[in-house]
Amino acid sequence: MTELSDGMARLIGPWTLTVTVDNRDRQQHFPPLVDMLNGQLAPGMEGGSGGGLPSTRNILDVQSLDLLIHIQDVTRAWLQEWGVQGAGELKLDLRGFWERLNTLHNTGAMDDTTFEHLASYPDTWAAKVWDLIEPPKTVPLRRTECPKCGEGKVTNGEGESTDNLIITFRVGHEFTAECRNRECAAVWIGVKGLQDLGRSIGVEIDIDTLQEAVAQMG
């Protein structure tokens, strides 16, 4: 059986996240991310912490539905392109997508560039689902420009101008700096990545200060 990527494994099967609480590692167990995404649409199903006020819930439902439809459409479009009959159940279709993708690559019927592009989809989808359920904590890097694209501001979905470079923290992951300009989308991961970014923009990024800021966010 073809080995699944981390994102694909979390999309279609139960998974575990290791978090540190009071300087001790603790494991938290979760159902498949596809089930959690469906849970955002149907009350009483696995929905993580996506509850809250009705107005917040409605916004989250729309975002969850849009993401779910996107994953379904892309997955089934590629299955159709490859002449593979869809199962009609998203988790099975995702596995079918992954199996066929790897078969085409392993047999030389698909080039490396195309394979790497398509193989990145599940990890991207998994990150987007988890961000909806457990939104990352963000710290903007004010008055700075991305060293790769030169943009200092971006326009958000509400038409507001916001800082382009942000540092995000997701439970169980390292700090990551992100450029929100979609045409660039550069990332810097972990302590070394943030140090490299800091040197590029002439700013000292203090990890201890970041950790204190995140802790104060609750």
Side-chain angles (χ1 to χ4, degrees):
M1 183 176 294
T2 305
E3 182 178 356
L4 302 177
S5 71
D6 177 68
M8 181 61 84
R10 290 186 289 125
L11 282 169
I12 67 176
W15 55 286
T16 300
L17 180 67
T18 301
V19 298
T20 302
V21 179
D22 296 330
N23 295 321
R24 293 185 179 182
D25 288 343
R26 185 179 70 186
Q27 291 189 326
Q28 291 183 310
H29 303 285
F30 298 95
L33 284 171
V34 166
D35 290 347
M36 298 181 77
L37 185 58
N38 274 309
Q40 300 299 122
L41 307 175
M45 292 180 63
E46 297 291 348
S49 60
L53 297 174
S55 58
T56 303
R57 177 73 184 180
N58 291 338
I59 294 172
L60 186 57
D61 287 349
V62 171
Q63 293 175 328
S64 299
L65 181 59
D66 286 346
L67 180 55
L68 183 63
I69 291 173
H70 169 72
I71 295 172
Q72 289 176 337
D73 287 350
V74 172
T75 301
R76 290 166 182 169
W78 279 105
L79 289 176
Q80 184 176 14
E81 173 72 17
W82 296 330
V84 177
Q85 180 66 42
E89 201 280 316
L90 183 54
K91 286 184 289 186
L92 294 177
D93 284 342
L94 282 165
R95 179 174 284 279
F97 166 87
W98 189 255
E99 295 286 347
R100 185 59 177 164
L101 174 66
N102 279 272
T103 296
L104 290 171
H105 183 244
N106 292 338
T107 58
M110 178 181 291
D111 62 81
D112 292 344
T113 300
T114 302
F115 172 76
E116 291 171 2
H117 174 67
L118 296 181
S120 70
Y121 282 178
D123 289 345
T124 299
W125 292 335
K128 288 183 176 181
V129 173
W130 188 240
D131 282 354
L132 276 178
I133 295 166
E134 289 290 342
K137 297 171 182 177
T138 63
V139 178
L141 288 174
R142 305 187 188 283
R143 296 181 294 277
T144 59
E145 297 177 351
C146 173
K148 295 186 179 294
C149 68
E151 294 296 328
K153 295 286 185 177
V154 292
T155 302
N156 63 21
E158 287 71 43
E160 301 169 333
S161 178
T162 63
D163 295 295
N164 181 28
L165 286 178
I166 60 171
I167 296 176
T168 63
F169 176 73
R170 297 169 173 86
V171 174
H173 295 270
E174 296 185 272
F175 280 104
T176 301
E178 304 175 6
C179 170
R180 292 195 281 188
N181 174 17
R182 292 185 177 181
E183 296 180 0
C184 176
V187 296
W188 296 263
I189 301 173
V191 174
K192 185 180 183 303
L194 295 188
Q195 290 173 341
D196 290 343
L197 172 61
R199 284 191 289 269
S200 298
I201 61 178
V203 173
E204 181 180 354
I205 300 177
D206 190 311
I207 299 299
D208 290 337
T209 301
L210 274 177
Q211 291 174 332
E212 291 176 3
V214 167
Q216 291 174 0
M217 293 177 187

